[in-house]
Amino acid sequence: EIVLTQSPGTLSLSPGERVTLSCRASHSVGNSYLAWYQQKPGQAPRLLISATSMRATGIPARFSGGGSGTDFTLTISSLEPEDFAVYSCQYYGGSPLTFGQGTKVEI
Amino acid sequence: QVHLVESGGGVVQPGKSLKLSCEGSGFTFSNYGIHWVRQAPGKGLEWVAMISYDGSNKFYADSVKGRFTISRDNSKNTVNLQMNSLTAEDTAKYYCARVYFEWLMVGWFDTWGQGTLVTVSS
């Protein structure tokens, strides 16, 4: 099983700031099997990034993903008020699929 | 427009059973793998189970193996999750999600339902 560890647990930031979230895998996952989701209170998760760095349809360019092997990142270049949410990484290369515990980005 | 809608949640006593359903619309449901993902209150996302587009392949998280059964009825555009021997640890919002690629069982999830809440309590 691939265990995903996200850090930090919570980030307190201001609009306009740049932020990089970390997702570390217990074993190499390859470049094609890592996704990122955004979730706001009371809402379902929303796909942001697939295959490590592919932005989903409609996702602004300020969101970018990177990394390889066991270390992956999600960067938001300049935080907008609507970006304050929980971000989760996901391994989807096989069973069991796994999620990181999430990083909360708060004001 | 692509939609998934879950139903069947509620309050159930420990040891009892509950059946969740996920109905799809706006796409050719029978072409897509479907997953269940749950989220306990205040916790992160946990993958639960998956079923292939034709129902021939199914996989489960260890935490639910032997207690939960996933199935699908493509004539009704529905995937079900039969949950037996429920415990307090199963209390969560349950989401169904669609795999992005047709025919594949695993992949990223491009569409999620709004979830249905399951509370296991005496």
Side-chain angles (χ1 to χ4, degrees):
Chain A
E1 175 178 332
I2 303 287
V3 176
L4 299 177
T5 302
Q6 292 187 242
S7 61
T10 302
L11 275 170
S12 297
L13 297 165
S14 300
E17 287 195 84
R18 178 186 178 91
V19 59
T20 297
L21 310 182
S22 172
C23 176
R24 177 161 289 177
S26 58
H27 304 87
S28 177
V29 304
N31 284 3
S32 300
Y33 303 128
L34 200 287
W36 289 90
Y37 298 87
Q38 178 194 65
Q39 189 176 22
K40 297 179 180 178
Q43 295 185 18
R46 176 175 74 142
L47 177 69
L48 295 176
I49 301 286
S50 61
T52 299
S53 60
M54 286 176 40
R55 270 192 309 277
T57 302
I59 301 303
R62 65 180 181 272
F63 290 91
S64 62
S68 65
T70 61
D71 291 300
F72 300 87
T73 58
L74 174 69
T75 298
I76 309 172
S77 59
S78 179
L79 280 165
E80 296 288 338
E82 62 267 27
D83 298 337
F84 291 91
V86 175
Y87 293 86
S88 300
C89 55
Q90 178 204 28
Y91 164 74
Y92 55 83
S95 181
L97 284 72
T98 55
F99 290 90
Q101 79 277 23
T103 291
K104 182 178 182 180
V105 177
E106 63 179 20
I107 298 177
Chain B
Q1 200 169 7
V2 177
H3 276 302
L4 293 171
V5 178
E6 303 91 341
S7 61
V11 180
V12 61
Q13 294 179 329
K16 301 295 187 181
S17 299
L18 201 63
K19 181 180 176 181
L20 306 182
S21 294
C22 169
E23 183 174 0
S25 60
F27 63 102
T28 305
F29 188 81
S30 58
N31 290 359
Y32 289 86
I34 298 291
H35 294 239
W36 285 96
V37 176
R38 68 185 180 183
Q39 187 169 38
K43 302 296 184 181
L45 300 167
E46 179 189 13
W47 176 76
V48 173
M50 61 180 169
I51 189 166
S52 58
Y53 67 96
D54 61 354
S56 62
N57 290 290
K58 308 169 187 180
F59 290 90
Y60 302 91
D62 285 345
S63 58
V64 306
K65 202 172 295 182
R67 300 188 300 122
F68 289 13
T69 301
I70 191 171
S71 62
R72 70 188 298 158
D73 183 344
N74 285 338
S75 69
K76 297 180 180 178
N77 287 358
T78 299
V79 167
N80 298 311
L81 186 69
Q82 177 67 44
M83 305 186 296
N84 299 332
S85 303
L86 286 162
T87 73
E89 286 66 45
D90 297 314
T91 293
K93 178 170 277 191
Y94 285 73
Y95 297 96
C96 61
R98 188 189 82 161
V99 174
Y100 174 75
F101 290 108
E102 288 181 296
W103 316 118
L104 296 184
M105 198 167 177
V106 292
W108 60 87
F109 303 154
D110 67 331
T111 302
W112 297 66
Q114 283 305 300
T116 187
L117 185 61
V118 173
T119 302
V120 184
S121 174
S122 55

